[in-house]
Amino acid sequence: MYNSEGLPIKLSEEVHCALSEKRQVVALESTVITHGLPKPLNWEVLARLQQVISEEDCTAATIIVHRGVAHIGIDDSLKEELQNTDIPFNKLSLRDLPLAFARKDSGGTTVSATMGLAHRAGIEVFATGGIGGVHRFWQDSWDVSMDLIALSRMPVIVVSAGCKAILDVEATLEMLESFGVPVVGWQTDTFPLFYTPESNYHISRCDDLDLLAQSWKAHKILRDNGSGMLVANPIPKEYGIHSSQIEPFINQAIAEAKHVGIKGKELTPFLLDLLAQITKGESVKANIALLEHNARLASVLAKAL
Ligand code: PSU
Ligand code: MN
């Protein structure tokens, strides 16, 4: 069960074959399954994302930790086991992996843990919904997602619909700049805000896959394979929610979290869950649409590399 580095990382047969034959592989995170979406919708969405990736002739590598083993790629028997297990799923960032391995815990991997494991497995492209970042009121909480640190240290392209709208977007973009993480707007001049396709934050635009691939190659050399890139892919307009509509709900959710004392790693899932309730599922529909859209772009980008 241990890989050549002595880590409990297991590749599915399909992912193993694709990597050894140098075919394109796209990583997917699993916190969105374990903590982001309600059952059974979570597994349906995962199946849909995997289908989108295979429609583009790429192989999906969903990353999840089960009983202390990091699985890269979920095959049918593992999926069934995961769906029927009584073991609770933790939310695992990169720093949580060592203890989870040792204690044989299970958990969904966040963007940072997924990047770390994808990199160890030799996967360069990763699709997620929206990255974590600097939380609002960071001045008091110091709550900055490890996703940003992972982007600053691991050579993986992350395709996301910008960052989660619940964050302090300006501070998140500033940190990405300080860390030297290129933020590229795919066919957009502004940073998308998860549910909302546009914003007032200007970013560098790219409309051409080959240019994107070229810049990734240059970035890896310039940074000695030492940092990632964020490709910001706006949610399709027809599923987007205008920020004037969602912003009051976000403020309401943040106030509620403060009121009931939710913070730390529980904060992001709590806020997204509450938003799903307040918007009567509209935010969930948007979340699914943008996940699919990102899986599609990550796949075509993987082919262009
Ligand atoms: N999507 C959800 N809920 C989540 C996340 C995504 O619906 O909890 C995860 C992502 O995996 C992201 C993580 O990497 O939240 C960031 O968490 P934090 O802000 O605690 O670093
Ligand atoms: Mn945090």
Side-chain angles (χ1 to χ4, degrees):
M1 200 55 85
Y2 291 86
N3 75 354
S4 57
E5 295 182 304
L7 289 171
I9 296 181
K10 187 170 184 276
L11 273 58
S12 70
E13 191 62 32
E14 199 191 356
V15 170
H16 175 76
C17 287
L19 286 171
S20 48
E21 289 165 16
K22 304 230 172 312
R23 285 184 283 116
Q24 287 78 20
V25 176
V26 173
L28 295 170
E29 61 146 305
S30 50
T31 299
V32 63
I33 311 168
T34 57
H35 291 72
L37 297 166
K39 238 171 145 178
L41 185 64
N42 54 353
W43 294 105
E44 288 161 23
V45 170
L46 178 66
R48 177 72 194 127
L49 298 180
Q50 293 178 333
Q51 187 193 335
V52 165
I53 292 169
S54 56
E55 278 167 14
E56 295 296 339
D57 295 318
C58 295
T59 301
T62 306
I63 299 186
I64 195 162
V65 176
H66 188 45
R67 300 178 187 275
V69 175
H71 292 270
I72 318 273
I74 301 181
D75 60 21
D76 288 345
S77 76
L78 176 62
K79 184 173 170 185
E80 199 172 320
E81 207 182 317
L82 292 166
Q83 283 174 318
N84 296 313
T85 183
D86 326 314
I87 302 180
F89 287 105
N90 299 319
K91 177 182 163 195
L92 303 173
S93 79
L94 188 54
R95 70 120 183 215
D96 300 315
L97 293 179
L99 202 55
F101 290 161
R103 297 200 316 199
K104 310 253 180 288
D105 288 342
S106 295
T109 52
T110 66
V111 169
S112 69
T114 308
M115 285 183 79
L117 291 165
H119 174 49
R120 295 248 81 79
I123 301 169
E124 263 191 328
V125 184
F126 163 32
T128 183
I131 61 161
V134 182
H135 278 270
R136 299 186 194 185
F137 308 108
W138 52 269
Q139 297 89 335
D140 301 320
S141 66
W142 288 55
D143 191 345
V144 177
S145 174
M146 203 196 157
D147 292 0
L148 299 183
I149 316 320
L151 272 162
S152 77
R153 296 202 183 151
M154 246 117 23
V156 175
I157 301 181
V158 179
V159 179
S160 87
C163 68
K164 292 196 208 310
I166 53 173
L167 299 169
D168 182 330
V169 179
E170 197 162 356
T172 300
L173 284 169
E174 287 296 340
M175 271 200 88
L176 286 165
E177 183 182 351
S178 307
F179 282 146
V181 177
V183 177
V184 181
W186 176 248
Q187 298 177 337
T188 183
D189 296 299
T190 68
F191 193 57
L193 303 181
F194 203 56
Y195 307 117
T196 310
E198 284 157 9
S199 74
N200 295 324
Y201 305 103
H202 188 269
I203 53 172
S204 304
R205 177 185 181 118
C206 185
D207 292 273
D208 183 309
L209 280 175
D210 288 331
L211 291 186
L212 199 49
Q214 267 178 44
S215 57
W216 171 240
K217 283 175 192 154
H219 175 73
K220 283 197 296 179
I221 297 167
L222 280 168
R223 302 293 294 275
D224 284 325
N225 278 322
S227 88
M229 182 184 258
L230 183 65
V231 174
N233 187 30
I235 182 172
K237 280 207 170 62
E238 60 273 30
Y239 292 100
I241 309 175
H242 199 271
S243 61
S244 62
Q245 199 191 335
I246 195 87
E247 197 50 34
F249 296 148
I250 292 174
N251 288 327
Q252 186 186 335
I254 291 174
E256 178 65 17
K258 190 163 192 289
H259 181 65
V260 296
I262 296 282
K263 53 188 173 182
K265 68 198 292 176
E266 274 87 49
L267 184 59
T268 299
F270 177 89
L271 292 176
L272 294 179
D273 193 41
L274 197 52
L275 278 177
Q277 290 171 37
I278 300 171
T279 63
K280 299 191 177 64
E282 209 192 331
S283 69
V284 175
K285 266 193 225 147
N287 201 342
I288 296 168
L290 63 85
L291 279 163
E292 269 189 49
H293 197 54
N294 295 341
R296 180 89 56 194
L297 177 59
S299 306
V300 294
L301 178 55
K303 288 190 281 187
L305 293 182

